[in-house]
Amino acid sequence: MDNLLAAISVVLTHYSSSFTDTLISVKAVILMVVFMEDTHAWMENLEDERVIRLVEEENKRFREFIGELSDELFPEVWEYYSMPALYGAKLTDKGTIAMYKERERQLIRWLGGEVIVDSTALEEELNDEVLLQGFTADEKGRFLAYSFSIGGADEGITRIVDLKTGRLVDEMKPSVWNVTFLGDGYYFSRFYRHGETPDGVKAPAVRLFWKDGSGERMVFGEGLGSGYFISLRKSTDGKTAMVTVTFGWNRAEIYVGPIEEPGMWKKAYSAEVPAEPIDVIDGKLYVLTREGKGLGKVITVEDGEVTEIIPEGEFPLEWAIIVDGKILTGRLVHASHRLEVYSLDGEKLDEVTFDLPGSVYPLDTDGKRALLRYESFTVPYRLYGFDGKLNLIEGQEVEGDFRVEEDFAVSKDGTRVHYFLVKGTRDEKKAWVFGYGGFNISLTPRFFPQAIPFIKRGGTFAMANLRGGSEYGEEWHRAGMRENKGNVFDDFIAVLGKLKAEGYRVAAWGRSNGGLLVSATLVQRPDVMDAALIGYPVIDMMRFHKLYIGSVWIPEYGNPDDPEDREFLLKYSPYHNVKKQKYPPTLIYTGLHDDRVHPAHALKFFARMKEVSKDVYLRVETKSGHMGASPETRARELTDLVAFVVKMLWL
């Protein structure tokens, strides 16, 4: 196969440029034929007896390989994993409702008071593992909407309850999101994974609905195809609907209008870059847009006229809300947040930094006050209130002597790539490096409970800020998507290579799109890592759009059915680039209930890798979806990861 591809390339170089387009098409067709036969395609059927047998055999093989080390480490990982963590909070007239993880359960409760939803009670009711996915409530504190799934699947159940009586008002299967209460009814978004929408568009697609005592009806999204997403928010005064339609992670349209009258929602702003509404104040729509250099700026739109309020700065403006007549923003400076406060006409009033590099995001605002969540490598969470000044409400922190360092590596094309290093009291030159690099998602400091036992043993936990994310704005994102995806792998190679040059033994780790990152780096440059951990990954770049909801990722990755896109996808597709060479010990892990990234990506790559390497292992969680499962199931999985890293780097 390698010889055939080389021959094609040689032939192309010997023809004149006038034939280039034709020859590229010929090459694409030949490549399509070469890779049309997939000897592991049967693994896409998770009910195939061979798949079930493979999972059982390989889970047993991995358990035998990891031995008792995982059981020895579990109490340590559980100690940190079971620390209380806050996932969300909502302001209401009757108090604040918050969602937590506490040891073996997840809770939705009144802040400092009564429990409303307990995952353990749901598990008793359903006789299965339950993962709470999220919640919201109406401003008056009358109704609560919450979603949960079985085994961590994306598809789940949404329930609406009366907070005064506890009565179940409604239940929707599969789960919906964007529930927005209005009087005795509510809007919600439904993501069609199967079948077609009411207007006849085949899944995957999103539509917005209104539901009340008379039933439900579709109110927005007619004609939108795959790759489009819809989100709805109310202005803080409750009068205006702000609807955002995005295509992938690349462009946006914002519609506004009276919240009660969907027929009057009109397009107010559109951009070929990400953009999101902030609020509507005195008839002006405030928008955070990535137009320009992609670093983020705040504008107002009124009667079609656009006015710049906060211009682009040196570093990205990642989010903005309006509180007490001021614009509160989160600016990302080398992948950690600082707060900046502006007047409504853009005058900078204040700046707030934190004791540790961290992530800070708004959880809710009612226009007069806001709730913010802070997190760092040794801080599971802090909940702050803001009403003109910042005040700490509650939080959790790991005790011990830790330090967070920052450094840069130089990528293949000269780009400087930032990364964090988290260390304890000693450095035994063992590095566990996490990366992602995609979908406009920034990797900012967060709490990894399984990293604490690793660090206490003298390890260094690292997190790399690669192109494809939003750490340095939209240009940084676009430099790592579609035909530029190779930059992401080069960036990761630069970070891993620098650590190797400094004498570290290195374990590379990525999950989901990060699994693509690590697997692509593994087949290209296995020499820059001593171990690889590939979780819930996207790996077969010729088939990702055919499996589950993969077609919605086409705007980010490209379209395998387009000959030009297919060519650059094949160039790096990990599944199609496995070859005979020396690979470091590799752990590929997934969950059978993952209905976002099909487990076949992991299974098929494992099969290919096992043909050329004896040091590849497969771990399949039978009770886990893409976002995990119950606390203990998730903690067991994380413990296996740290056990693998410890065994590979120390033993």
Side-chain angles (χ1 to χ4, degrees):
M1 189 186 308
D2 291 340
N3 290 337
L4 175 59
L5 295 182
I8 294 170
S9 298
V10 169
V11 170
L12 285 174
T13 60
H14 281 78
Y15 280 88
S16 64
S17 59
S18 62
F19 293 101
T20 299
D21 291 343
T22 300
L23 290 170
I24 287 175
S25 297
V26 170
K27 180 179 179 183
V29 170
I30 294 174
L31 289 172
M32 193 179 301
V33 172
V34 169
F35 293 110
M36 189 171 291
E37 184 181 0
D38 184 352
T39 56
H40 302 297
W42 56 272
M43 292 183 171
E44 295 177 8
N45 178 9
L46 300 180
E47 296 180 359
D48 190 305
E49 290 183 2
R50 293 171 292 176
V51 170
I52 297 170
R53 188 163 56 249
L54 174 76
V55 168
E56 291 174 349
E57 291 173 352
E58 293 303 329
N59 275 345
K60 180 180 178 182
R61 176 171 169 260
F62 175 70
R63 295 259 66 85
E64 291 172 349
F65 168 75
I66 210 67
E68 297 178 355
L69 182 56
S70 187
D71 289 336
E72 294 171 5
L73 284 165
F74 182 75
E76 288 184 70
V77 173
W78 182 248
E79 176 186 353
Y80 300 108
Y81 185 86
S82 62
M83 292 180 70
L86 173 76
Y87 290 149
K90 175 72 177 174
L91 293 163
T92 79
D93 293 345
K94 296 181 180 178
T96 298
I97 301 174
M99 177 173 155
Y100 295 90
K101 175 184 68 63
E102 293 184 356
R103 296 190 69 81
E104 297 93 347
R105 62 180 182 168
Q106 295 168 286
L107 303 171
I108 299 173
R109 69 189 312 161
W110 292 100
L111 191 65
E114 177 189 357
V115 172
I116 306 168
V117 179
D118 185 334
S119 65
T120 56
L122 289 172
E123 289 177 337
E124 290 177 8
E125 174 192 339
L126 300 166
N127 195 32
D128 209 332
E129 292 193 356
V130 165
L131 177 71
L132 292 182
Q133 297 173 311
F135 80 98
T136 189
D138 71 317
E139 291 81 358
K140 295 181 179 180
R142 296 186 305 159
F143 300 108
L144 173 80
Y146 68 96
S147 296
F148 61 92
S149 70
I150 308 299
D154 274 3
E155 280 193 315
I157 299 169
T158 298
R159 288 179 174 177
I160 297 178
V161 297
D162 184 312
L163 285 170
K164 184 176 182 180
T165 65
R167 180 178 63 90
L168 179 64
V169 175
D170 195 7
E171 180 175 277
M172 288 177 277
K173 300 179 183 178
S175 52
V176 300
W177 71 84
N178 245 194
V179 175
T180 305
F181 290 99
L182 184 66
D184 292 324
Y186 46 90
Y187 295 102
F188 66 88
S189 294
R190 177 175 286 134
F191 181 37
Y192 289 83
R193 294 172 174 271
H194 318 284
E196 59 183 35
T197 64
D199 52 315
V201 174
K202 290 184 179 180
V206 183
R207 294 294 181 267
L208 187 65
F209 291 81
W210 166 259
K211 189 170 186 178
D212 57 20
S214 63
E216 68 176 49
R217 59 188 174 90
M218 191 179 86
V219 296
F220 190 88
E222 183 175 357
L224 289 178
S226 180
Y228 287 89
F229 296 91
I230 303 170
S231 65
L232 167 68
R233 287 176 49 207
K234 270 196 294 191
S235 59
T236 50
D237 65 8
K239 297 178 180 178
T240 305
M242 302 181 293
V243 181
T244 307
V245 178
T246 59
F247 179 68
W249 292 259
N250 306 323
R251 65 176 186 256
E253 296 179 338
I254 299 172
Y255 295 74
V256 298
I259 187 69
E260 305 94 343
E261 302 180 63
M264 294 184 65
W265 298 348
K266 305 296 182 185
K267 186 190 300 184
Y269 176 79
S270 64
E272 294 299 311
V273 293
E276 59 194 66
I278 301 170
D279 209 341
V280 175
I281 305 292
D282 297 330
K284 292 181 180 179
L285 170 66
Y286 284 75
V287 176
L288 175 60
T289 177
R290 269 71 178 180
E291 285 190 303
K293 294 181 179 180
L295 293 167
K297 58 184 175 182
V298 175
I299 61 171
T300 59
V301 182
E302 186 175 24
D303 297 327
E305 183 177 341
V306 175
T307 303
E308 184 176 271
I309 302 298
I310 303 176
E312 288 185 296
E314 180 183 0
F315 294 100
L317 197 65
E318 196 167 51
W319 57 262
I321 57 176
I322 295 179
V323 187
D324 192 30
K326 303 177 183 66
I327 305 173
L328 176 64
T329 70
R331 193 175 295 278
L332 207 54
V333 181
H334 295 310
S336 61
H337 285 107
R338 71 184 183 207
L339 300 180
E340 296 177 350
V341 184
Y342 295 84
S343 67
L344 290 180
D345 59 7
E347 178 188 357
K348 189 172 182 179
L349 304 175
D350 198 7
E351 182 175 299
V352 180
T353 57
F354 296 86
D355 54 328
L356 287 171
S359 308
V360 186
Y361 291 100
L363 297 177
D364 192 27
T365 178
D366 60 8
K368 298 178 181 178
R369 51 189 174 147
L371 297 173
L372 307 173
R373 182 183 183 276
Y374 168 93
E375 182 178 4
S376 190
F377 295 109
T378 58
V379 181
Y381 82 93
R382 293 177 191 158
L383 177 63
Y384 288 98
F386 181 86
D387 56 3
K389 62 182 184 300
L390 199 65
N391 55 86
L392 178 64
I393 298 173
E394 61 175 40
Q396 294 284 328
E397 191 157 349
V398 176
E399 295 182 0
D401 188 4
F402 301 94
R403 65 184 187 278
V404 179
E405 300 175 357
E406 300 176 64
D407 205 348
F408 291 86
V410 180
S411 194
K412 185 178 181 180
D413 63 358
T415 299
R416 279 163 50 87
V417 182
H418 175 270
Y419 60 96
F420 292 101
L421 297 165
V422 189
K423 300 181 178 182
T425 55
R426 67 184 193 275
D427 184 357
E428 295 196 1
K429 294 294 183 179
K430 320 290 185 184
W432 187 1
V433 189
F434 181 68
Y436 188 79
F439 292 94
N440 202 31
I441 294 172
S442 57
L443 283 193
T444 57
R446 50 182 278 203
F447 182 59
F448 295 87
Q450 75 277 22
I452 304 299
F454 173 75
I455 295 168
K456 287 190 169 184
R457 280 169 168 74
T460 295
F461 185 78
M463 190 169 74
N465 301 117
L466 316 171
R467 279 175 283 189
S470 63
E471 289 89 344
Y472 295 96
E474 180 58 16
E475 289 184 357
W476 189 257
H477 167 221
R478 298 198 178 216
M481 58 179 278
R482 290 183 49 81
E483 66 273 13
N484 298 320
K485 193 68 177 177
N487 289 332
V488 186
F489 313 138
D490 290 340
D491 291 356
F492 201 46
I493 289 167
V495 173
L496 299 177
K498 183 174 182 182
L499 291 169
K500 288 280 288 180
E502 293 172 353
Y504 283 89
R505 285 180 56 78
V506 173
W509 174 38
R511 193 178 189 279
S512 191
N513 172 75
L516 168 61
L517 166 72
V518 176
S519 55
T521 304
L522 176 70
V523 299
Q524 291 179 25
R525 288 290 304 276
D527 58 299
V528 295
M529 61 186 87
D530 299 286
L533 297 92
I534 300 167
Y536 297 80
V538 183
I539 287 183
D540 182 349
M541 302 312 290
M542 294 298 97
R543 292 276 297 157
F544 76 85
H545 64 318
K546 303 290 187 183
L547 301 173
Y548 289 164
I549 66 166
S551 63
V552 302
W553 309 327
I554 285 175
E556 180 76 9
Y557 290 139
N559 187 352
D561 293 333
D562 181 317
E564 292 186 7
D565 290 6
R566 188 179 184 91
E567 189 168 355
F568 64 70
L569 287 165
L570 267 175
K571 187 175 181 180
Y572 74 77
S573 177
Y575 182 59
H576 298 96
N577 284 277
V578 174
K579 57 187 176 183
K580 289 184 178 180
Q581 60 181 330
K582 182 175 175 54
Y583 291 105
T586 300
L587 172 61
I588 302 165
Y589 65 102
T590 187
L592 283 183
H593 288 278
D594 188 343
D595 53 358
R596 186 182 310 178
V597 179
H598 199 295
H601 285 279
L603 301 177
K604 290 164 64 175
F605 186 64
F606 168 76
R608 279 270 167 93
M609 284 291 294
K610 199 173 182 184
E611 292 170 358
V612 297
S613 173
K614 63 181 178 61
D615 295 324
V616 58
Y617 299 91
L618 178 68
R619 183 196 190 280
V620 182
E621 181 55 66
T622 58
K623 297 181 179 180
S624 178
H626 196 74
M627 298 309 293
S630 71
E632 182 172 347
T633 297
R634 178 73 173 133
R636 290 284 179 186
E637 181 180 80
L638 295 178
T639 303
D640 281 348
L641 302 189
V642 69
F644 184 80
V645 172
V646 168
K647 182 162 185 159
M648 293 302 97
L649 300 189
W650 266 281
L651 305 181

